[in-house]
Structure formats: structure tokens, C-alpha cells
Amino acid sequence: MKDQSQFWFMYFDFRYEREGEPNLLAPVDVFVSTVDPLKEPPLVTANTLLSILAMDYPVDKVSCYLSDDGASMLTFEALSETAEFARKWVPFCKKFEIEPRAPEMYFSLKVDYLKDKIQPTFVKERRAMKREYEEFKVRINALVAKAMKAPAEGWIMQDGTPWPGNNTRDHPGMIQVFLGHSGGHDTEGNELPRLVYVSREKRPGFQHHKKAGAMNALVRVSAVLTNAPFMLNLDCDHYINNSKAAREAMCFLMDPQIGRKVCYVQFPQRFDGIDRHDRYANRNTVFFDINMKGLDGIQGPVYVGTGCVFRRQALYGYNPPKGPKRPKMVSCDCCPCFGRRRKLSNYSKHGTREEGTNVHGSSLEVLEEDKELLMSQMNFEKKFGQSATFVTSTLMEQGGVPPSSSPAALLKEAIHVISCGYEDKTEWGIELGWIYGSITEDILTGFKMHCRGWRSIYCMPKRPAFKGSAPINLSDRLNQVLRWALGSVEIFFSRHSPILYGYKGGNLKWLERFAYINTTVYPFTSLPLLAYCTLPAICLLTGKFIMPTISTFASLFFISLFISIFATGILELRWSGVSIEEWWRNEQFWVIGGVSAHLFAVIQGLLKVLAGIDTSFTVTSKATDDGDFGELYTFKWTTLLIPPTTLLIINIVGVVAGISDAINNGYQSWGPLFGKLFFAFWVIVHLYPFLKGLMGRQNRTPTIVVIWSVLLASIFSLLWVRIDPFIVRVQGPDVKQCGINC
């Protein structure tokens, strides 16, 4: 974890932003991706884009690219409205230095917005800007309402031509520059950052690789049009909450000592719209404030998909630069000198041919050089694809576009690099860019970089850099966890499994490897967790205390292990500042997700590996209800709800059965009962948030869930009673009982 002080910022500004001299901050390309505008509302995406365009960074060094993988005309028209509103919003933000610079979040702040504002015109301009934003929202909502009624013949653009993306699975590549250096100015005449709409080509029969493929298309488009050496990746619902976030990252990426070996700077994810008690641990505080901090001390944190600033060269598959080597000695021809002699050249200092060379020798050397150049070009095309402009950009470590390139030629080349067949027979998705092969492409991408020897940085500024929305509804939250867990299972069974991959170079540190192993094997803990949650109910229903017989040494080992884990947890809480309540919510949802989403992920992962049955996922809805936390109480049916409900019913029935049995058998049976009840209550208490979410606001559990859970619990209990493995079955007559001497 790195927390910059004010002194460090002053030093950084003095080094790269001296008054009266050209600004030396490196350019940044910002990537935002969206797919379905009905599940990812255009107004949410617009707020993210506006916060990017208004961030505190030199405008001539910021370019924002929006990837519309759904080729939606609604997204295109909403982006056009956003570009127009940005001409008014950006100068307002920079003039009064407001935070955050996403208008929806800024105008919804319940604080004294007049505090520390000494400009007398601020109140008047703020009211006028709020009216402008309300009108902007009306226009966006009108576009959304219009998109709900799609015409049968498809959408028609204003010039009368059909919208190229009417068929979302078969359309050409589309690029539109809305704002830029050649005419993108605000209402005060100041330059605005470049804003580019990108929708890559899609054709039937091609593998498009979902979000990872869209991100790789943005890498190539940006390399052709702007080619900034650094790239910021954001989800469409993660706006910039700290306008200096890019500067925070540059403190590390441009550091003269460690910066050249840093592949990315990862920021923690923070969320809006979560209930105060965080019932389903949506904030992931334990992961972001404990685990990621710990990883920062090894080789760096894992990449978590958003809020990350990349070094472009690292995404191209290049290895980090080596340390400075000792220069080799070069000597002359005299005897006292030591070292390697200088190699004779064919031409003298004055340009005349030296003796001992001939025309044929020179021609052969020229041919050899041309051959090497040709082979090098062929290797680059095999690696990066057949675009000379793009291949040239990959060799420019400091970024930039050749000044002789015309905008029309660059746009034509940009369309070429987002075509369907561009990645064929290349290393895209294998060694370059976002890596294919898992729905959690972020883990794979960061893992490949660390295997090459790069390190990453975890940056936690006092003001959170980015904020987003989280699916606080129980069903959506479980589906989100299922997607993450299934991605981990896919990685575990792939060739990129951290157990087997990356030993050749020896660049991945062992503790970092263990961390990646943990990110891929954690779904498999659902199997022993499910057994552990079922065991107390079995003990209560059968009247037996089922525990394996273990030695005294093993007992002491497990007790010491439990004490060490508990002590480590206390130290982590004190070190990280995470509250006990947040830790407890995380523990509860670990059990809820473990017996549902993680279990389903293991089953689906095995089906995919063994039977080739693939599972498709839909985008999590980013829309929220108007009421306070209204989505929290919304019930959506999913099979993920059945296992936890079954466990709840079994354990509750077991508690009732155990207490009833103890009452009937007298006081001597109460002693063993307490041990069984302790573990049963442990399961029930951990599943309590799930029970509240299941009952919703009406405190009534959906009938379908109850029917399935009772059915499964009954079948399981009857089978257990029928084949009770703890009853000793005696074969043949019992000699001692009958008294017959056989």
C-alpha cells in the first residue's frame, strides 16, 4: 500500500510541471467498456465519461475511448449528448475545483456546498449548471424511452441511412471522434480531451472473446490514434471520485528508480448505494484493505478488472527492463590496453572505403541487413498483426503518433485493427493484451505480467480514486460471486494454472505464486464447507456425536492452528483498520457464497472441462430503484438460493429434534447436546443474512424456494436414516446374546 503525502505531490509537480516550461506528464488513454445500455444505463455511463473529461490532468494528454460492444444506437446518441454537455460541465468543474466530478454524485451530496467557496459567482453558476444537468437527464431518458420501442426495420440515423449496428452480431467496425484536439473546445474556448466512440466489427463464425476481446480492440485503436504510454481501465459504472487519481498513479509509473519495472498501479474498489450494515459484504473490505495490502509487499496486487493504470509496453508482452549492466571495455590496437578490440568497420571516419573491403562484400552485408529487417518485420506481424502503423507504435516506448500521419489515414488504419480477423494467427489474447480463456480475464492478465517479472503497486489515496455501483440484491450478488468463482475454476484447469505455469523464467516470486494459487482453489473449499455445515444437523437428527477419532497430538495441532489463525486475524484487523462488523459480514457471506455460488462454480467448471458444457453469463444490472436501497429487498429467483435454504431447514429441524430428544431422555443427554447445538447455531448465525434476504421486505419466503428446499432436506434425511453408516450391523447370530455355543 502506498499513501502519497503532500510533500511527495509537491516534489512530483516540481519535477514534471514547472511553471513556464512544457508539461512533462505522460499522456494517458482511458478505456470505458459497455455492452447493454438497458442493463448499463446510459446516464451512468455518461457520468463516468464526464468525470474522465473533467479530471485534473493536462487536457492535451487525455484521450477517452468508449467501447460499445453492443453496437447500440442508444449508446451512440447518448455519447453525442454527453459530448455537448461536457463543453459546459468541464470548465465548471475546473473553475471551482469541485469533487467528485460526476454530476449525478456531485449534485446528490448532502453537504454544505458553499463551504470554502469564496467566489461570489459560485452559487449562481452552480444553480445554472444543475438546471443544465436536469435538462441533460431529460434528453438521455427520452433516448432510453425511445429505444424501448425498436422498429421492426431497424434504427435509422438522422441522415436517413440505416444504423450499421442494427444486427448486433453482424456489423462493421465503427469509430466516431466526438471531441478532440482539432475542434473539441468548451464554452470558454479551452481545449477538451479527446472522446472516441468505438464499436469493433462482429461477424458470424468469429470468436469475439467478450470483454477481453473488446479491451484488446481498444488497445489497438488507441495505439493508432493517440498511443499514450499509459492506459486507465474503468468499468462504465466506475466514475472518477478523485480528480487527481491519474497523478497518483504517475507518482509510481514515472518514478525514475522503480517506475520502469511497474506494469500497473491498482486502486481499491469503493462503492456507492450500499446499505449501512452491508448485509452481503459488497464492499469486500477484507479483500481490498487486508489481502491486497499484503500482496503489495511481495510482487504486487492482482489486477481486479477496473480502476487500474497500465503501462502499455507491459500489455504488449515485453519483459521489464533489466538493471544497469557494467559497460564492456573497448580497446584500441596497442598492447597496453586490455579488453575486447574494436571491430573494424567498412568505412573510415571520413566516409571513404577502407582497404580490404570490396563492393561485393558491402552488397552482401546490405542484403543480410535487409534480410534481418524483413525477418524482424515478419515476426512483429506474426505477434501483433498485419498493421504497419500499429507495429511501429509498439516500438515507441514513450508513445506518440508520427506527426506526418494524416487523420484520415489513421482512422482507416484504426478501422482495420478492430476487424474480426485481425487477431487470427497472432498472439493477441495468448501473450498480448487481455488474456483469453477465462471469464475473469483480469486475473489471467495480471498473472502473465507477474510471470514475466513485472511488479505492480497498490495505491490507496485518502480520497478514494474511483467509486462504482455494486449489485446489493441477494440474487445478483450470488450470481456475481458465481461468475468470479467459475473464472477461478477455469484458470485452475487451464494451462495458466499457477500451480504449473510460469516456472521457466523464474520471475514469479513464491509468495506471489501462493497468492495466485489461492485465487484459483478457493471455490473448492465449498465441498468441505458444505459437509461441515451439514454435520451438526446430522448429529442432532441421529442422536450421535459424529467426530473422527484423532490422536492427542493431532488435537493439539488443530487447537494451535485455530489459535494462530484467530491471532493472525486480530493482528490483521488492527493493522488494516477494518472494523469487527465488516470482518464478521465478510465471514458470514463467505459461508453463504461457499455453499451456493462456489459449489455451483465447481460443478459447472468440471462440466466444462469434462463434458465441454459452457455456461454463458448475462451482464449484472447497474440500475437501481428510486427508493433508498430498494433493490436490497428485490427477490429474483435463482437456483443458487436452494443449497443455503436447505442447510437452514436441516439445521433448524435438527435443533428442534435434538432439544425434543434431550427432553424425553432426561438430564443425562443434555451434556452431549450442547456440543451439537453449538455447531448448529454456528451454521444458522452465518446464514442469517441469507435468511433475511430470502424473506425480503415482506418477511415471507418465496414458495418455490421453500418447496425445493423442504423436498431436498426430506430426501436427504430419509436416505440418511435408511443407510445410517454409524449403526453397527452384525452378520449372523449374536452368540453372547442368545447363549448358544456355536
Side-chain angles (χ1 to χ4, degrees):
M1 188 272 296
K2 304 294 186 294
D3 190 3
Q4 290 77 41
S5 64
Q6 187 67 24
F7 171 77
W8 175 247
F9 256 126
M10 291 174 61
Y11 165 75
F12 185 76
D13 291 341
F14 177 77
R15 183 181 183 92
Y16 296 103
E17 293 185 287
R18 297 180 181 178
E19 188 176 355
E21 297 183 10
N23 193 295
L24 299 179
L25 285 176
V28 179
D29 289 337
V30 187
F31 299 160
V32 179
S33 59
T34 183
V35 180
D36 188 349
L38 299 181
K39 293 185 177 181
E40 299 169 328
L43 188 61
V44 174
T45 305
N47 272 270
T48 300
L49 296 174
L50 290 169
S51 69
I52 295 170
L53 297 174
M55 68 180 184
D56 185 4
Y57 210 78
V59 293
D60 59 327
K61 298 189 176 184
V62 177
S63 299
C64 181
Y65 293 83
L66 175 68
S67 170
D68 177 19
D69 222 30
S72 171
M73 188 172 176
L74 170 58
T75 303
F76 182 84
E77 292 181 335
L79 189 61
S80 178
E81 292 288 348
T82 303
E84 289 302 316
F85 180 70
R87 302 179 190 272
K88 306 171 185 176
W89 174 252
V90 172
F92 171 76
C93 293
K94 294 187 176 182
K95 180 178 180 180
F96 298 106
E97 298 181 353
I98 67 168
E99 295 283 0
R101 299 189 177 181
E104 184 69 27
M105 290 67 194
Y106 171 70
F107 289 122
S108 62
L109 289 178
K110 297 179 181 180
V111 295
D112 183 9
Y113 58 84
L114 296 177
K115 186 178 180 180
D116 300 328
K117 303 296 182 182
I118 59 175
Q119 296 90 340
T121 59
F122 172 69
V123 177
K124 181 180 179 180
E125 292 194 29
R126 184 186 183 277
R127 290 174 179 171
M129 184 54 60
K130 189 172 183 180
R131 287 194 298 270
E132 292 283 353
Y133 178 64
E134 293 298 329
E135 294 176 1
F136 169 72
K137 289 173 63 175
V138 170
R139 294 194 296 271
I140 295 295
N141 291 331
L143 292 175
V144 174
K146 176 185 174 183
M148 295 293 185
K149 304 175 182 179
E153 64 278 5
W155 296 107
I156 303 297
M157 294 189 293
Q158 294 181 356
D159 59 358
T161 59
W163 170 247
N166 279 324
N167 187 344
T168 58
R169 298 183 179 181
D170 186 4
H171 65 84
M174 295 179 283
I175 297 177
Q176 175 67 43
V177 180
F178 284 97
L179 299 174
H181 309 311
S182 59
H185 294 83
D186 59 29
T187 53
E188 298 182 0
N190 300 317
E191 191 176 359
L192 288 172
R194 181 173 295 186
L195 179 61
V196 185
Y197 170 89
V198 179
S199 181
R200 58 181 174 144
E201 181 186 19
K202 286 190 176 181
R203 300 297 182 189
F206 286 89
Q207 181 62 263
H208 299 105
H209 303 289
K210 300 181 180 179
K211 181 181 177 180
M215 297 305 298
N216 285 337
L218 285 184
V219 172
R220 297 191 295 270
V221 166
S222 62
V224 172
L225 296 181
T226 51
N227 196 31
F230 301 106
M231 299 172 291
L232 169 59
N233 160 228
L234 290 175
D235 287 345
C236 65
D237 62 322
H238 274 69
Y239 64 91
I240 297 181
N241 183 64
N242 184 348
S243 62
K244 298 184 182 296
R247 294 175 181 269
E248 298 269 5
M250 292 304 147
C251 288
F252 304 106
L253 292 168
M254 297 183 66
D255 185 88
Q257 294 184 356
I258 66 170
R260 289 174 58 83
K261 294 187 178 181
V262 176
C263 57
Y264 60 80
V265 175
Q266 177 67 61
F267 292 86
Q269 293 186 20
R270 305 300 186 201
F271 302 99
D272 291 323
I274 297 177
D275 61 304
R276 184 170 59 88
H277 298 289
D278 193 13
R279 183 185 297 178
Y280 307 123
N282 281 281
R283 292 190 178 93
N284 286 329
T285 312
V286 172
F287 175 74
F288 286 113
D289 289 12
I290 296 179
N291 298 352
M292 294 285 274
K293 280 185 181 180
L295 290 176
D296 194 45
I298 307 173
Q299 194 171 344
V302 299
Y303 167 45
V304 295
T306 184
C308 188
V309 182
F310 285 95
R311 182 181 298 276
R312 187 182 286 270
Q313 293 293 309
L315 275 173
Y316 286 160
Y318 291 119
N319 294 328
K322 304 295 181 181
K325 295 183 178 180
R326 181 180 177 182
K328 296 181 179 180
M329 295 182 65
V330 181
S331 70
C332 58
D333 296 335
C334 58
C335 295
C337 293
F338 297 94
R340 184 174 57 85
R341 294 190 176 185
R342 180 179 285 119
K343 190 174 181 180
L344 295 176
S345 60
N346 289 336
Y347 290 89
S348 66
K349 180 178 179 180
H350 301 287
T352 58
R353 190 186 307 277
E354 296 183 353
E355 295 181 5
T357 61
N358 53 56
V359 177
H360 299 286
S362 177
S363 300
L364 288 174
E365 290 182 1
V366 171
L367 289 175
E368 287 296 328
E369 291 177 359
D370 291 343
K371 185 177 180 180
E372 291 181 2
L373 182 63
L374 180 61
M375 290 298 294
S376 175
Q377 184 177 356
M378 292 176 61
N379 290 334
F380 273 107
E381 289 184 354
K382 184 178 179 181
K383 182 178 182 179
F384 294 108
Q386 295 184 351
S387 171
T389 304
F390 176 70
V391 170
T392 303
S393 70
T394 62
L395 302 175
M396 304 169 67
E397 185 176 354
Q398 302 302 322
V401 178
S404 59
S405 303
S406 65
L410 291 178
L411 278 175
K412 182 179 179 180
E413 196 66 24
I415 290 291
H416 170 58
V417 298
I418 61 173
S419 59
C420 286
Y422 185 83
E423 294 184 356
D424 292 348
K425 299 180 180 180
T426 66
E427 296 185 5
W428 282 102
I430 303 173
E431 298 294 335
L432 309 180
W434 272 256
I435 306 302
Y436 305 149
S438 172
I439 56 176
T440 52
E441 69 288 331
D442 46 2
I443 299 295
L444 268 182
T445 303
F447 177 62
K448 295 279 283 190
M449 293 183 186
H450 284 136
C451 286
R452 296 189 187 102
W454 292 95
R455 76 149 302 169
S456 55
I457 296 289
Y458 197 49
C459 183
M460 298 182 66
K462 292 182 179 180
R463 180 179 180 85
F466 311 101
K467 281 190 175 182
S469 57
I472 63 174
N473 171 266
L474 174 60
S475 303
D476 288 343
R477 173 67 167 144
L478 287 176
N479 277 296
Q480 183 188 57
V481 174
L482 172 62
R483 184 169 63 250
W484 294 342
L486 181 57
S488 297
V489 174
E490 289 175 343
I491 296 174
F492 179 80
F493 288 113
S494 71
R495 72 180 187 92
H496 291 115
S497 174
I499 300 177
L500 304 173
Y501 185 85
Y503 289 97
K504 185 177 180 181
N507 295 318
L508 188 67
K509 295 183 180 180
W510 280 102
L511 289 177
E512 186 77 359
R513 183 178 297 279
F514 290 151
Y516 274 108
I517 291 175
N518 177 63
T519 61
T520 58
V521 301
Y522 77 88
F524 295 95
T525 60
S526 60
L527 302 176
L529 179 63
L530 183 64
Y532 187 78
C533 292
T534 310
L535 194 62
I538 296 174
C539 295
L540 291 166
L541 290 172
T542 58
K544 299 179 178 63
F545 195 76
I546 306 166
M547 286 293 292
T549 303
I550 57 177
S551 63
T552 305
F553 175 78
S555 300
L556 292 175
F557 172 77
F558 282 112
I559 292 174
S560 61
L561 180 63
F562 174 79
I563 294 175
S564 63
I565 293 175
F566 179 77
T568 304
I570 296 297
L571 290 174
E572 287 179 345
L573 294 180
R574 290 294 300 263
W575 165 64
S576 63
V578 176
S579 65
I580 294 291
E581 182 183 7
E582 290 176 319
W583 175 84
W584 173 239
R585 291 300 184 197
N586 184 81
E587 289 296 307
Q588 287 180 311
F589 198 79
W590 173 73
V591 175
I592 296 171
V595 298
S596 57
H598 296 173
L599 179 65
F600 275 66
V602 172
I603 296 173
Q604 293 179 7
L606 291 173
L607 288 175
K608 183 176 181 179
V609 173
L610 300 177
I613 301 176
D614 199 359
T615 306
S616 59
F617 285 94
T618 57
V619 180
T620 304
S621 177
K622 305 297 190 301
T624 58
D625 291 344
D626 294 334
D628 291 339
F629 313 119
E631 190 187 356
L632 180 66
Y633 306 100
T634 304
F635 176 80
K636 300 177 182 179
W637 162 248
T638 172
T639 53
L640 295 174
L641 301 174
I642 295 178
T645 310
T646 304
L647 287 176
L648 270 172
I649 292 176
I650 290 178
N651 279 276
I652 292 174
V653 171
V655 169
V656 175
I659 295 175
S660 301
D661 184 68
I663 293 174
N664 292 331
N665 294 333
Y667 69 90
Q668 68 275 5
S669 61
W670 283 95
L673 177 65
F674 284 124
K676 305 172 188 177
L677 289 178
F678 172 79
F679 291 105
F681 278 118
W682 183 92
V683 176
I684 294 173
V685 168
H686 276 78
L687 294 178
Y688 177 69
F690 172 83
L691 179 61
K692 289 188 66 177
L694 197 65
M695 298 176 69
R697 180 174 286 171
Q698 296 78 18
N699 294 328
R700 187 173 62 87
T701 306
T703 307
I704 185 66
V705 178
V706 175
I707 292 175
W708 273 103
S709 300
V710 171
L711 181 63
L712 290 176
S714 303
I715 293 174
F716 180 80
S717 302
L718 291 173
L719 286 176
W720 187 266
V721 173
R722 179 67 183 87
I723 50 173
D724 190 347
F726 299 99
I727 296 179
V728 179
R729 291 175 171 79
V730 182
Q731 296 182 356
D734 191 342
V735 178
K736 293 183 179 179
Q737 184 176 356
C738 65
I740 301 175
N741 188 2
C742 299

